[in-house]
Amino acid sequence: PSSYQAKLFGALILSLLSYHLMAYFRSETLFKTCIHIDNKSVVDIGNKLQNKQSLQRMLEEGEETEMDQLYKIDHLTLMLEWDLIAKMRPLLQESRFIDWTFSRIGGHQDRKLHYDELTLQAQLNCDADRIAGEYQKRTDNKTPWIVALTPECPVHLDIQGSTVTSKYKSSIRRAISHPPLWAYIARRNEWTPEIMQSIDWYLHQKENIPLQTSP
């Protein structure tokens, strides 16, 4: 998963857990909660989701419910990781229990300063990166790519057993064009499937991008 997807999912889990804890204990106290994230895009979307007036301007006028209107707006439902954003939205706008704040923190600060010299927030960020890296090594980077449906996002695009949550158009074009192109390359060069699988196509793609030189 991308950094944006992973950090947005983490923000959703923390928001969901906090909300249900407050609801379970029936707390009447309004807690101020700050979520520190090292991804600016997630911080921005978190702050926008709490701004009801900003969201209201996105909605079309009409007698339909707000959620019905939301699903008719292409630039919202086709946003990167819309399934996570749609799930977070009602949590962040519910102000009975928690007053949310999203704050950006610089990532990988331990590359420049010793761990003990960092703030608590920076230390926790480094800890999270370390734990995520260890988990990836244990699982051999085998991430399940099937995303569960939710009431907030009842439709997903799945291609070859993997859920697509961003870059829909390019993903569809790639799924259509790659199989015949793959077969043509193998037939032209008389390569077996094993040879085709052994090639680092990502590196090959990067190698063929012309370098930009300054005038």
Side-chain angles (χ1 to χ4, degrees):
S2 65
S3 172
Y4 176 72
Q5 182 186 37
K7 304 302 169 57
L8 188 60
F9 187 80
L12 169 61
I13 294 300
L14 184 56
S15 304
L16 194 62
L17 176 62
S18 301
Y19 177 85
H20 284 296
L21 281 175
M22 296 299 101
Y24 177 79
F25 289 109
R26 300 180 181 178
S27 174
E28 297 181 357
T29 303
L30 181 64
F31 288 87
K32 292 187 176 181
T33 302
C34 181
I35 299 180
H36 297 273
I37 303 176
D38 62 4
N39 187 295
K40 183 179 182 299
S41 297
V42 177
V43 172
D44 290 342
I45 196 66
N47 291 326
K48 288 179 181 178
L49 288 175
Q50 297 177 86
N51 189 335
K52 294 183 179 181
Q53 293 181 351
S54 176
L55 284 173
Q56 188 63 36
R57 287 195 295 268
M58 297 181 185
L59 302 175
E60 301 172 342
E61 296 181 358
E63 298 181 356
E64 298 165 301
T65 66
E66 186 174 291
M67 189 58 69
D68 290 337
Q69 295 169 19
L70 272 172
Y71 283 118
K72 289 189 176 182
I73 304 177
D74 289 344
H75 72 277
L76 285 180
T77 56
L78 295 181
M79 287 178 64
L80 296 176
E81 318 307 337
W82 167 253
D83 57 319
L84 302 178
I85 294 173
K87 190 72 176 179
M88 282 183 63
R89 184 170 172 270
L91 296 173
L92 300 184
Q93 289 191 351
E94 175 57 70
S95 58
R96 288 184 301 163
F97 308 119
I98 301 175
D99 180 16
W100 298 97
T101 302
F102 287 82
S103 177
R104 183 175 182 270
I105 185 170
H108 308 292
Q109 294 188 35
D110 56 341
R111 294 178 179 176
K112 297 181 179 180
L113 296 174
H114 191 273
Y115 181 86
D116 294 335
E117 299 177 310
L118 301 177
T119 64
L120 174 61
Q121 292 81 4
Q123 289 180 344
L124 293 175
N125 179 262
C126 294
D127 292 341
D129 286 338
R130 175 181 53 78
I131 294 171
E134 292 174 352
Y135 175 79
Q136 285 186 322
K137 290 180 180 178
R138 289 199 307 269
T139 58
D140 196 24
N141 292 320
K142 294 180 180 178
T143 304
W145 288 106
I146 297 297
V147 177
L149 295 173
T150 65
E152 294 81 8
C153 187
V155 178
H156 280 168
L157 171 63
D158 287 354
I159 298 179
Q160 295 181 349
S162 298
T163 303
V164 179
T165 58
S166 64
K167 301 179 181 178
Y168 298 100
K169 293 181 180 179
S170 61
S171 298
I172 293 173
R173 284 197 296 265
R174 187 164 54 249
I176 294 174
S177 63
H178 274 208
L181 177 60
W182 184 281
Y184 170 76
I185 293 174
R187 184 173 61 254
R188 179 182 178 182
N189 296 281
E190 298 182 351
W191 288 343
T192 64
E194 290 74 16
I195 294 177
M196 294 291 291
Q197 291 289 349
S198 68
I199 299 174
D200 190 333
W201 293 104
Y202 176 80
L203 182 61
H204 178 271
Q205 178 187 19
K206 294 298 182 182
E207 182 69 19
N208 284 275
I209 296 178
L211 296 176
Q212 294 182 354
T213 57
S214 57

